[in-house]
Amino acid sequence: VQLQASGGGLVQAGGSLRLSCVGSGRDFRSSALGWFRQSPGTERESVAIIDWSGGSTSYGDFVKRRFTISRDNAKNAVYLEMNDLKPEDTAVYYCAAASRLVDVATTPAYWGQGTLVTVSS
């Protein structure tokens, strides 16, 4: 599975961004997918994960209903809609894939390159 993330940028606090990650490979549509983020000096953390069907999702505690993960298997894509962004959301965001939902949050098998999100105060 190959992953390509996009959609990052500079946004003011309170604003919104939509990240996209397009995948290729025969296993993409059956894979669990996730978004992670990492800011300087911190460990990479799980933001949101979604199972292969889109029917099961889970979010990091810090999301607090501000973000929504979704996928479109017809387009081989996973999205992260981010609203009410805060300066502490500034980070490089990565998409990832694994065969099972239980694995994608902890040990993804595949990673995309990151896309930088910067939230100004």
Side-chain angles (χ1 to χ4, degrees):
V1 177
Q2 294 82 43
L3 303 167
Q4 181 80 24
S6 62
L10 174 64
V11 63
Q12 289 187 333
S16 300
L17 277 177
R18 187 192 196 209
L19 305 183
S20 300
C21 178
V22 177
S24 60
R26 66 177 186 177
D27 294 331
F28 180 87
R29 296 180 181 183
S30 63
S31 296
L33 302 170
W35 286 97
F36 293 73
R37 71 183 188 183
Q38 187 171 23
S39 54
T42 69
E43 294 187 355
R44 191 173 298 187
E45 61 183 348
S46 175
V47 177
I49 59 174
I50 188 168
D51 74 345
W52 70 273
S53 70
S56 180
T57 59
S58 182
Y59 297 88
D61 291 341
F62 58 86
V63 169
K64 299 186 187 299
R65 301 182 180 180
R66 298 181 296 129
F67 299 174
T68 302
I69 188 171
S70 62
R71 67 189 294 166
D72 185 341
N73 284 342
K75 296 181 179 180
N76 273 17
V78 60
Y79 308 101
L80 185 67
E81 184 76 33
M82 304 186 293
N83 299 310
D84 190 23
L85 283 161
K86 306 177 186 301
E88 51 264 42
D89 294 317
T90 294
V92 178
Y93 284 72
Y94 301 86
C95 55
S99 58
R100 303 184 304 169
L101 189 63
V102 67
D103 294 328
V104 74
T106 56
T107 54
Y110 306 97
W111 290 94
Q113 94 296 352
T115 185
L116 177 62
V117 173
T118 304
V119 185
S120 63
S121 57

